[in-house]
Amino acid sequence: VVQDLEEQAVHDHLKELPDGEEKDLLWSQALGKALEDEKPLVTEHLVKEVNDGKLGWAAKISPDLQHLSMRDGRYFLGLLPTDDSSLEDEGPGERSSFVQSPSHELELPRHFNGFERWRSCRGVLDHTRHQGQCGSCWAQSAAYVLETRLCITSG
């Protein structure tokens, strides 16, 4: 909604400009942005490029994503740009308190499979939530973590 209002303001501003090179340039820029916004979010080329990297997993175009545009993708990210300085990155000094380094070296297993470790929770661990076009990935993630921790704790 905010983006639509911003685009309308740009459109209205362009209508008010007298005809000439500046108006033509601004219209070209606005048109270029609009065309970029309508490019597909996920393409066969992107999928091939990812899969050519042999990352140990295979990418594919999900039916839910196949008709989404770049603009739709930005919408699903959920955070709208703002001038509020409270959303700015605080920098490494202020954020370092959130990261705690272990005082000793951890020995990590060479292989770990949660399905094997918590067999009774397989249905919870394997459950994939579908948020549709809601943009609630943050809530879906929180619900998944809570549900999984409850299952692991309660057995």
Side-chain angles (χ1 to χ4, degrees), residues 88-141:
E88 291 178 12
D89 186 356
E90 294 111 3
E94 289 83 5
R95 296 192 315 162
S96 62
S97 62
F98 292 110
V99 178
Q100 295 181 356
S101 300
S103 57
H104 61 283
E105 287 205 27
L106 296 175
E107 282 199 38
L108 299 176
R110 294 184 59 67
H111 171 77
F112 179 80
N113 184 335
F115 295 130
E116 293 171 6
R117 174 68 175 88
W118 300 293
R119 292 182 192 276
S120 64
C121 296
R122 182 174 185 105
V124 174
L125 293 168
D126 202 22
H127 178 79
T128 303
R129 290 178 163 73
H130 187 288
Q131 69 186 31
Q133 294 190 355
C134 175
S136 63
C137 56
W138 59 272
Q140 299 292 337
S141 298

